[in-house]
Amino acid sequence: MRGAGRRGQSDAVPRIGWKARARQAAVPLSIQPYRMHFFARMLSWTGSAVAPIGLAFAVFHIDGGPGALGLVLAAGMIPQILLLLIGGVVADRWSRARVMVWANVVCCVAESLAALLLWSGHARVWHLAAMSMVCGAASAFFTPAAGGVVVDVVPAEMRHTANALLKIGQNTVKVGGPALGGFLVAVAGPAWVIGWDALTFAVAAVLCARIGLTSGRVKVKTGFVADLRDGWRDFWSRRWLWVMVIQGSVIVPAWLVGYQALGPVYGERFLGGPALWGVVVSGFTGGLIAGAAMSLMWKPRLVGVVVCAGTGGMSLPLAAMAVRAPLPVVVVAAALAGAGLAVSMTSWASVVQARIPADRLSRTTSYSTLGQLLPVPIGYAAVGPLVAVLGLRGTLAAGALLIVCAAVVPLALAQVRSITAPVPEGADGSLVTSAARAPR
């Protein structure tokens, strides 16, 4: 914008109409590396949307019960937790695109072998657990690398839109993925579903290879352990960041316990079965898509406040279920939760990319991700005892209250309230952020 860099106007937010924003929404896709990244992620999400259904029925197909399925799922989460910090260092040391390529290749090989064993009738539960473990380890390297690619390939003023497009793609796939997975299992069997997931990993690897990032872009000369320490110091020095990670470490397990673990139980007891619970899930995924689309049109200024409000909205469906609200109310509550979550995640990603230097982004965010993953197994383990003490609706009410408290408390800190969106400034497209001027 002309004159945006004049004195006294550095904090002005450019006024752009919704029609102009709509035209600008597809601009990041004109950048070839981002386009390759976008379609690679879309393919990966397509496979990931159907894979859990195929994996569950594959375990049941070889006479494994719920305990065996839990073992297979745990086998995928444990290496991800253990290796995530190492993955962050690797993603900062080498080409992030190359890390993504090899992570996709490893998952493709592991799932191809599992599919072949299922087709041949020789598969055992431990085979599927090993496949899950390998893919979980690969994910520990893929996630930090993928989180930094947008910074590497998209100009700063386009990153919010680029993040919103990725979120729209991810959430759109979530709508039809589980239904498609169930259909494929019924028609072709679980082996074909896992084989399809392996194919998506293979094609995604090819697309990631075309992103074209070189390892010379990020130069790290220190030792591996020193890199881990540097990532921790960078993470801990940013109070606004670790406070919000603590918030997430409370909200994420409370949400997963209340919505993913107890939601289907509530649907069975009070809604009349899985079909009507599926309506609630559709409401949530519809809200995710609507929220991501809203992020294309609206770039909130007070990101800290918006993130806290959006994550606090995740309490709505849990509270609605706790008071046995009518089904339409639960569906609307789930849709509002999905929309708020999508807006907050998109805005948060843009701020983190603007505030954290590119050469430390993957390491620092890996600590953030780990902080939110660690309490999840504890939350799942606590489901049974909590329901035994509080009952189903009491546990849902406690989860809703916990989410609200975790969402509100960080707003007491000025550093959280002052988290603002990056503001484009100057005719040359340079970027000045008020976030950079705020205390760390």
Side-chain angles (χ1 to χ4, degrees):
M1 277 181 67
R2 290 180 195 227
R6 292 178 184 172
R7 188 175 214 165
Q9 296 181 7
S10 60
D11 291 331
V13 179
R15 299 290 181 180
I16 303 176
W18 69 269
K19 290 184 179 180
R21 289 191 184 276
R23 287 193 297 270
Q24 292 175 0
V27 171
L29 289 172
S30 66
I31 303 172
Q32 194 267 349
Y34 175 78
R35 188 166 61 249
M36 295 298 101
H37 176 63
F38 176 83
F39 287 114
R41 299 301 302 274
M42 282 290 292
L43 270 172
S44 294
W45 288 323
T46 301
S48 298
V50 302
I53 304 294
L55 185 61
F57 282 94
V59 171
F60 300 151
H61 179 73
I62 56 179
D63 297 327
L69 179 58
L71 173 65
V72 172
L73 295 176
M77 177 170 285
I78 291 172
Q80 186 173 359
I81 292 175
L82 294 177
L83 297 175
L84 191 59
L85 298 181
I86 297 175
V89 173
V90 169
D92 277 342
R93 276 178 168 262
W94 289 283
S95 164
R96 289 170 177 143
R98 191 170 299 171
V99 173
M100 293 167 65
V101 169
W102 283 108
N104 278 301
V105 168
V106 168
C107 288
C108 173
V109 172
E111 297 212 351
S112 296
L113 290 174
L116 288 173
L117 288 169
L118 288 167
W119 277 321
S120 66
H122 292 92
R124 299 293 181 266
V125 170
W126 75 266
H127 292 144
L128 299 181
M131 180 270 290
S132 184
M133 183 175 293
V134 170
C135 289
S139 178
F141 292 85
F142 180 91
T143 301
V149 166
V150 171
V151 172
D152 289 336
V153 302
V154 178
E157 65 272 14
M158 295 184 187
R159 287 176 192 160
H160 183 86
T161 300
N163 290 324
L165 287 172
L166 286 168
K167 193 58 62 178
I168 287 177
Q170 181 183 22
N171 295 335
T172 301
V173 169
K174 285 182 178 179
V175 174
L180 176 61
F183 174 78
L184 291 176
V185 168
V187 172
W192 286 96
V193 175
I194 294 177
W196 163 254
D197 196 22
L199 179 61
T200 64
F201 279 123
V203 180
V206 174
L207 293 175
C208 288
R210 298 188 61 190
I211 293 176
L213 296 178
T214 61
S215 57
R217 184 179 180 93
V218 180
K219 296 180 180 179
V220 181
K221 298 180 180 179
T222 56
F224 204 88
V225 176
D227 288 348
L228 282 175
R229 288 199 300 264
D230 184 55
W232 170 254
R233 283 195 298 266
D234 190 81
F235 170 79
W236 189 249
S237 70
R238 303 175 189 274
R239 188 181 183 189
W240 59 272
L241 179 59
W242 58 257
V243 166
M244 297 301 280
V245 169
I246 292 175
Q247 180 196 73
S249 70
V250 175
I251 291 178
V252 170
W255 169 256
L256 291 177
V257 167
Y259 179 77
Q260 288 196 348
L262 297 182
V265 179
Y266 179 89
E268 185 69 32
R269 291 187 186 179
F270 300 109
L271 296 181
L276 292 180
W277 175 248
V279 175
V280 177
V281 174
S282 298
F284 179 70
T285 51
L288 287 172
I289 295 174
M294 187 188 306
S295 296
L296 289 176
M297 304 295 110
W298 176 51
K299 186 177 182 180
R301 178 71 170 149
L302 299 176
V303 175
V305 176
V306 169
V307 169
C308 288
T311 52
M314 297 170 70
S315 65
L316 294 175
L318 304 190
M321 288 187 287
V323 299
R324 288 197 64 181
L327 177 62
V329 175
V330 179
V331 173
V332 171
L336 291 173
L341 178 62
V343 170
S344 62
M345 289 180 68
T346 302
S347 302
W348 182 251
S350 300
V351 165
V352 168
Q353 290 164 0
R355 283 196 176 201
I356 300 176
D359 63 337
R360 286 174 278 170
L361 181 60
S362 293
R363 278 172 290 169
T364 304
T365 55
S366 68
Y367 280 101
S368 302
T369 305
L370 181 63
Q372 297 180 62
L373 282 180
L374 279 175
V376 172
I378 300 173
Y380 281 139
V383 171
L386 284 173
V387 173
V389 173
L390 302 176
L392 176 60
R393 292 169 57 197
T395 304
L396 290 169
L401 181 61
L402 192 61
I403 290 174
V404 170
C405 292
V408 171
V409 168
L411 292 175
L413 296 176
Q415 288 179 321
V416 173
R417 296 194 305 272
S418 65
I419 299 175
T420 51
V423 180
E425 191 169 354
D428 60 351
S430 62
L431 190 78
V432 174
T433 75
S434 59
R437 295 192 293 270
R440 293 180 19 158

